[in-house]
Amino acid sequence: MSAGEDAVARARAAVGTPFRLHGRDARGLDCVGLVALAWGLTVPTGYRLRTGDPAVVARGAAALGLVAAEVARAGDVVLVVSGPGQLHLGIDSGAGLIHADAGLRRVVERPGAPPWPVLERWRREE
C-alpha cells in the first residue's frame, strides 16, 4: 500500500468523528487535525477558524515536508476556498473529499469533485 493509500485509510477511519476546532484526536478533529491524522504530522494549534491567505498555508505545508502536486492522486492534501475568507483542507480519497465539516459537525466523505474551488494540493514524496 502506498503512503497516499495509507493516508486515505486513516482519514476514512476518522469519518464520523465530531468536529472540534483545533481537535487532534478521537474526541474531535478540525480540517488541520484530519490532515495531521491522515499523514502522521505534528501541526500547530491556535489559528483562527477563518483565514484567507493561501501563501501562509502553502508555507506551512512546505515546512511539514509536503510538496506541491500538479496531478490529482488519492491521499493528496487539498486546499479549497469553502467560503469568503475561508480556506479549508481535506484529503482526496480518490472517490471524493474527506474533510472535517464544521456545518455537519463531523468528519465526512463527500463523493465526487469538491464543490469549492481547489487552490492547491500537496503530498509527501514517496
Side-chain angles (χ1 to χ4, degrees), residues 44-125:
T45 61
Y47 47 82
R48 299 184 325 240
L49 181 60
R50 290 195 185 277
T51 183
D53 191 348
V56 170
V57 180
R59 284 192 299 274
L64 293 169
L66 300 175
V67 297
E70 305 238 347
V71 177
R73 188 186 310 163
D76 286 354
V77 176
V78 180
L79 176 66
V80 300
V81 179
S82 60
Q86 181 66 48
L87 299 178
H88 186 52
L89 295 169
I91 300 293
D92 184 328
S93 71
L97 184 72
I98 303 168
H99 69 108
D101 192 307
L104 295 175
R105 307 297 302 158
R106 66 185 181 279
V107 175
V108 299
E109 183 170 2
R110 174 187 278 279
W116 313 286
V118 174
L119 295 180
E120 301 273 349
R121 54 177 57 242
W122 301 279
R123 66 178 63 113
R124 281 255 173 109
E125 288 187 312

Side-chain angles (χ1 to χ4, degrees), residues 9-55:
R10 286 189 291 275
R12 275 200 176 121
V15 168
T17 300
F19 176 88
R20 184 169 59 96
L21 184 61
H22 304 142
R24 299 292 182 267
D25 56 37
R27 293 174 294 160
L29 296 166
D30 65 5
C31 66
V32 176
L34 177 65
V35 167
L37 174 77
W39 279 100
L41 302 170
T42 301
V43 295
T45 61
Y47 47 82
R48 299 184 325 240
L49 181 60
R50 290 195 185 277
T51 183
D53 191 348

